Amino acid sequence: MMLEIVVISMSMVLFAVIFETLRRRRLSEGSAVLWIAVGLGAILLAVARPIFDWIARSAGVSYGPSLLFAIVAVFLVLLCFSLSMQIGRLEKRVKILARELALHEKLNPEDVGEAGKGR
Amino acid sequence: MSVSRRQVLAILPALNEVQTVREVVTEVRSALGCDVLVVDDGSHDGTGAAALAAGASVIRHPFNLGVGAAIGTGIAFARERGYSAVIQIDADGQHDAASASALLVPVLDGSADLVVGSRFASGYKVSGARAFGMRYLSRVVSRRVGVEITDTTSGFRAFSSNAIAIFAVSYPTEYLSDTVEALLDAHDAGLRIEERPVVMRSRMGGTASSGRLRSTYLFLRLLVVILFHPLRRRREQAATS
């Protein structure tokens, strides 16, 4: 019973954080969908513990929580991977932007003309 | 119409539409006689050059930012150049340029600020989960904005100078949520929204978007956008904080 209360209240905290960051537009709507799903998943697992234990046993895992750890670990690895892919994409975009900006601000003696002679 | 056509800007957001953009630009120019701006949203197929050859002004995003961002760029351009009305038309040839004048009428005579062209009013049908989703969206959005909007995701729209002033500051950019969120933003900003029937054709080129899993995700995200909209900070405030 204690476990259920802890998991549910932690999920509630998660929901509150999602709500507030979404309200301040710090979190994108897409990420909100993912994190709401995570919170709901946690609640579902806590409430339907017997079902989860049954799934664990039929998957050949004798101790339910260790299957949970495995699932969570896989989820976190996938999340990290997707985040590093996104960082890669952002880096590429920053380079493109910096290059385009540099091309706009290029300084050539012939572009400067009379106005630039005082420099 | 009392307002000169030169004050109208047609904005065509385009991503890899090289097969159709030239024809659409020519068609819009002859049907409306207005200036045409193609916002090339990071195409790799020479869409921008084709549009330029057809007589449109072209702004190019350095990489793909999404339709919403392209429209935002176009509206900021319209604001900068002092256009008094904007008509947004797809570059893939789905929208009938002749219907565009019908959308512009309420904007030019000052009776509406944002006019949405609806394909359902002219007998367009979709089926299955998509139809259910669109009907649900229509119900929720209509209730929010106080006007019956049957085609919430339509990208065939006319904007008044009031709407241009509001959206030049900030236009929603989330892919596929932008059209719906723009309606909610417009209502919050006190703009008058109207819907008019338009004719839509089958696409002249390009491919339709999204598989089932992705559609579900996009729909859920759209729900988040709609449900949280009244509670959230205005986008322009959030950007500066």
Side-chain angles (χ1 to χ4, degrees), chain A residues 65-80:
Chain A
S66 56
L67 179 65
L68 186 61
F69 275 119
I71 292 171
V72 169
V74 169
F75 172 76
L76 290 178
V77 166
L78 289 177
L79 188 67
C80 282

Side-chain angles (χ1 to χ4, degrees), chain B residues 97-109:
Chain B
S99 307
S101 357
L103 295 186
L104 279 167
V105 168
V107 158
L108 291 176
D109 71 17

Side-chain angles (χ1 to χ4, degrees), chain B residues 124-189:
Chain B
Y124 177 87
K125 293 263 192 303
V126 287
S127 51
R130 203 183 166 88
F132 174 80
M134 294 185 93
R135 261 204 309 277
Y136 174 77
L137 277 182
S138 162
R139 233 193 5 254
V140 176
V141 172
S142 300
R143 199 180 324 131
R144 282 280 171 82
V145 304
V147 182
E148 170 85 13
I149 306 290
T150 56
D151 196 355
T152 51
T153 57
S154 162
F156 199 8
R157 299 181 168 191
F159 300 81
S160 72
S161 55
N162 289 339
I164 293 170
I166 299 285
F167 287 128
V169 179
S170 164
Y171 191 90
T173 57
E174 287 276 355
Y175 173 69
L176 263 181
S177 311
D178 54 321
T179 48
V180 172
E181 203 178 354
L183 285 169
L184 303 176
D185 285 358
H187 177 68
D188 283 359

Side-chain angles (χ1 to χ4, degrees), chain A residues 33-119:
Chain A
V33 170
L34 174 72
W35 290 111
I36 290 170
V38 168
L40 290 178
I43 292 178
L44 196 72
L45 286 181
V47 174
R49 182 89 194 279
I51 299 174
F52 187 77
D53 283 337
W54 177 80
I55 294 171
R57 267 195 306 278
S58 38
V61 180
S62 51
Y63 183 53
S66 56
L67 179 65
L68 186 61
F69 275 119
I71 292 171
V72 169
V74 169
F75 172 76
L76 290 178
V77 166
L78 289 177
L79 188 67
C80 282
F81 190 74
S82 123
L83 286 176
S84 52
M85 267 177 25
Q86 282 182 44
I87 291 173
R89 202 182 57 177
L90 291 175
E91 276 176 349
K92 207 171 82 189
R93 289 182 162 195
V94 168
K95 281 177 191 161
I96 293 171
L97 276 182
R99 196 185 60 197
E100 300 238 336
L101 192 64
L103 285 169
H104 274 286
E105 295 188 342
K106 63 177 171 242
L107 296 172
N108 288 318
E110 61 267 29
D111 294 341
V112 178
E114 290 297 312
K117 279 195 173 157
R119 293 180 72 166

Side-chain angles (χ1 to χ4, degrees), chain B residues 57-226:
Chain B
S57 305
V58 174
I59 298 181
R60 199 183 126 76
H61 284 164
F63 36 77
N64 185 245
L65 295 174
V67 193
I71 295 154
T73 299
I75 289 178
F77 175 87
R79 172 77 171 160
E80 201 180 283
R81 297 293 170 94
Y83 286 97
S84 53
V86 156
I87 174 91
Q88 174 198 339
I89 304 174
D90 273 5
D92 64 3
Q94 271 193 94
H95 299 155
D96 177 30
S99 307
S101 357
L103 295 186
L104 279 167
V105 168
V107 158
L108 291 176
D109 71 17
S111 62
D113 296 306
L114 175 57
V115 183
V116 180
S118 168
R119 63 202 128 153
F120 297 114
S122 56
Y124 177 87
K125 293 263 192 303
V126 287
S127 51
R130 203 183 166 88
F132 174 80
M134 294 185 93
R135 261 204 309 277
Y136 174 77
L137 277 182
S138 162
R139 233 193 5 254
V140 176
V141 172
S142 300
R143 199 180 324 131
R144 282 280 171 82
V145 304
V147 182
E148 170 85 13
I149 306 290
T150 56
D151 196 355
T152 51
T153 57
S154 162
F156 199 8
R157 299 181 168 191
F159 300 81
S160 72
S161 55
N162 289 339
I164 293 170
I166 299 285
F167 287 128
V169 179
S170 164
Y171 191 90
T173 57
E174 287 276 355
Y175 173 69
L176 263 181
S177 311
D178 54 321
T179 48
V180 172
E181 203 178 354
L183 285 169
L184 303 176
D185 285 358
H187 177 68
D188 283 359
L191 299 178
R192 293 156 303 162
I193 305 170
E194 207 177 286
E195 187 178 66
R196 291 275 170 115
V198 287
V199 179
M200 298 239 188
R201 296 180 291 219
S202 52
R203 307 162 66 93
M204 294 203 286
T207 47
S209 46
S210 298
R212 187 167 296 168
L213 190 68
R214 188 161 159 75
S215 299
T216 308
Y217 162 72
L218 289 170
F219 185 72
L220 289 176
R221 198 179 66 182
L222 197 46
L223 278 187
V224 171
V225 167
I226 293 173

